[in-house]
Amino acid sequence: MKTRRIGPFEVAALGLGCMNLSHAYGTPPEPAAAEALLLQALDAGITLFDTAALYGFGANESLVGRVLQAHRSRIVLCSKGGMTGQPVGAGGALQRVIDGRPASIQRDCEDSLRRLGTEVIDVYYLHRWDKSVPIEDSVGAMARLVEQGKVRALGLSEVGAATLKRAQAVHPIAALQTEYSLWTRNPEIAVLQACADSGTAFVAFSPVGRGFLCGAPLDAAAFAPKDIRRAMPRFEPAHAAANAALLPALAGLAAQAGCTPAQLALAWLLARGEHVIPIPGTTQAAHLQENLGALALTVPPAVMAALDALFAPGRISGARYNAQNEAEVDTERFAA
């Protein structure tokens, strides 16, 4: 298994994003199937497992903790706070809340530790920067978690290069996580290089474009009612049709490389720098094995160049988030 570095840890070059075992893309798998997938990933050599307090409002952390607690010494366990499910209103129903105040970060971490069944989280991320709180204050609270022995290394999610620099002035940032794939290349504006310059691992989530880069056109009308892609502009009919027009060429390039479109998308990401660690998620063992096949690929330079041109930022139709979610992140954006 090829490996890469994240803070003080050496991990397999592909991690596992655990989100969709509990959250985001419609009805999650049955518990037994989710548990089996986690153990299959472990047996296949994956060592980095990425979860968050938000996913299933704690259910994903409980799942990961229940299944992997017995194998704790074999894995690098990553979770996130600062965006959680909190009771809101008279009914007390849980709603997604971004809260980066120091006391909230302390609370979130302690809640995560309990659900994960562990005494320490290896990499703990600020899931979203709460822009009402200086990043220095939030990272300062996270640094205190390191001092308390509850966290080993710190990470940030969905921030740009300038915010990373401010955070690093408070405490070393081992990892920065944001969306990065052939159809989401915003990190190339600044933060990807900023991570390389500072020795920060760049953890790429949604590396196969939320399923788009697997090669088959996606019909948003067929998505489950609670599938988060329903609110993403790229999956609206007009944008989806424009983007689907790129898929035949992607399939042709994958055929040239002797792999599937998803494997080619992952191999392209792995080639963007030794500090890049993709974390594809899946609910299916076959897709897990397919993803791992990307590690063995050697993609011809001509195919890489053709991919760069095919998925140049200006060729992708639609924003990756709707207006509300775009306002909540701090990532750089290409000019419209």
Side-chain angles (χ1 to χ4, degrees):
M1 180 71 73
K2 294 178 180 178
T3 62
R4 294 194 169 176
R5 301 290 304 181
I6 180 168
F9 308 107
E10 185 174 6
V11 298
L14 280 182
L16 182 71
C18 300
M19 177 182 75
N20 56 355
L21 296 175
S22 307
H23 175 87
Y25 298 130
T27 303
E30 292 297 319
E35 292 168 8
L37 191 283
L38 288 170
L39 291 175
Q40 288 159 353
L42 184 70
D43 289 343
I46 288 176
T47 52
L48 187 151
F49 291 81
D50 184 274
T51 181
L54 178 71
Y55 302 159
F57 292 157
N60 195 247
E61 287 183 321
S62 296
L63 167 69
V64 170
R66 181 173 69 250
V67 175
L68 297 180
Q69 185 179 32
H71 310 282
R72 184 66 182 86
S73 63
R74 296 171 56 188
I75 68 171
V76 172
L77 181 61
C78 307
S79 194
K80 312 177 196 73
M83 182 165 68
T84 61
Q86 296 296 325
V88 175
L94 293 180
Q95 295 183 29
R96 184 179 69 105
V97 174
I98 297 173
D99 185 352
R101 294 174 297 174
S104 300
I105 288 172
Q106 182 80 29
R107 175 205 65 201
D108 292 351
C109 181
E110 291 173 355
D111 288 348
S112 290
L113 288 166
R114 185 181 65 255
R115 287 189 292 262
L116 290 164
T118 187
E119 295 182 352
V120 62
I121 297 169
D122 295 317
V123 183
Y124 192 61
Y125 292 88
L126 184 66
H127 204 159
R128 288 291 186 275
W129 173 30
D130 178 353
K131 296 175 184 177
S132 69
V133 179
I135 190 67
E136 293 83 357
D137 291 358
S138 296
V139 173
M142 296 168 72
R144 286 189 285 278
L145 296 173
V146 177
E147 294 168 0
Q148 295 165 8
K150 296 176 179 179
V151 169
R152 291 193 170 107
L154 302 185
L156 300 174
S157 178
E158 293 277 43
V159 302
T163 303
L164 172 63
K165 183 176 181 180
R166 288 172 57 189
Q168 287 170 326
V170 177
H171 190 278
I173 301 299
L176 187 147
Q177 180 173 141
T178 193
E179 184 173 356
Y180 187 32
S181 70
L182 280 166
W183 84 334
T184 299
R185 296 179 63 175
N186 308 56
E188 294 171 13
I189 298 171
V191 78
L192 184 65
Q193 187 60 50
C195 286
D197 292 343
S198 62
T200 299
F202 185 97
V203 177
F205 73 74
S206 297
V208 292
R210 304 183 189 274
F212 171 78
L213 295 168
C214 294
L218 297 175
D219 179 9
F223 291 160
K226 293 185 178 181
D227 192 312
I228 62 173
R229 292 174 293 183
R230 284 183 170 272
M232 294 178 174
R234 287 181 183 176
F235 293 97
E236 295 171 0
H239 293 306
N243 292 324
L246 303 174
L247 293 177
L250 174 63
L253 290 170
Q256 289 183 46
C259 63
T260 67
Q263 288 173 332
L264 185 59
L266 290 170
W268 178 87
L269 262 181
L270 288 163
R272 307 311 285 180
E274 286 295 317
H275 64 308
V276 177
I277 304 172
I279 52 167
T282 185
T283 62
Q284 299 181 40
H287 288 166
L288 174 68
Q289 293 300 323
E290 178 185 358
N291 292 341
L292 288 169
L295 295 169
L297 289 176
T298 300
V299 181
V303 172
M304 286 292 197
L307 279 173
D308 280 343
L310 178 63
F311 287 96
R315 302 199 66 190
I316 305 305
S317 183
R320 68 186 182 104
Y321 286 143
N322 61 27
Q324 176 183 334
N325 293 142
E326 284 279 6
E328 294 173 347
V329 301
D330 178 55
T331 49
E332 292 95 359
R333 298 169 195 159
F334 290 104

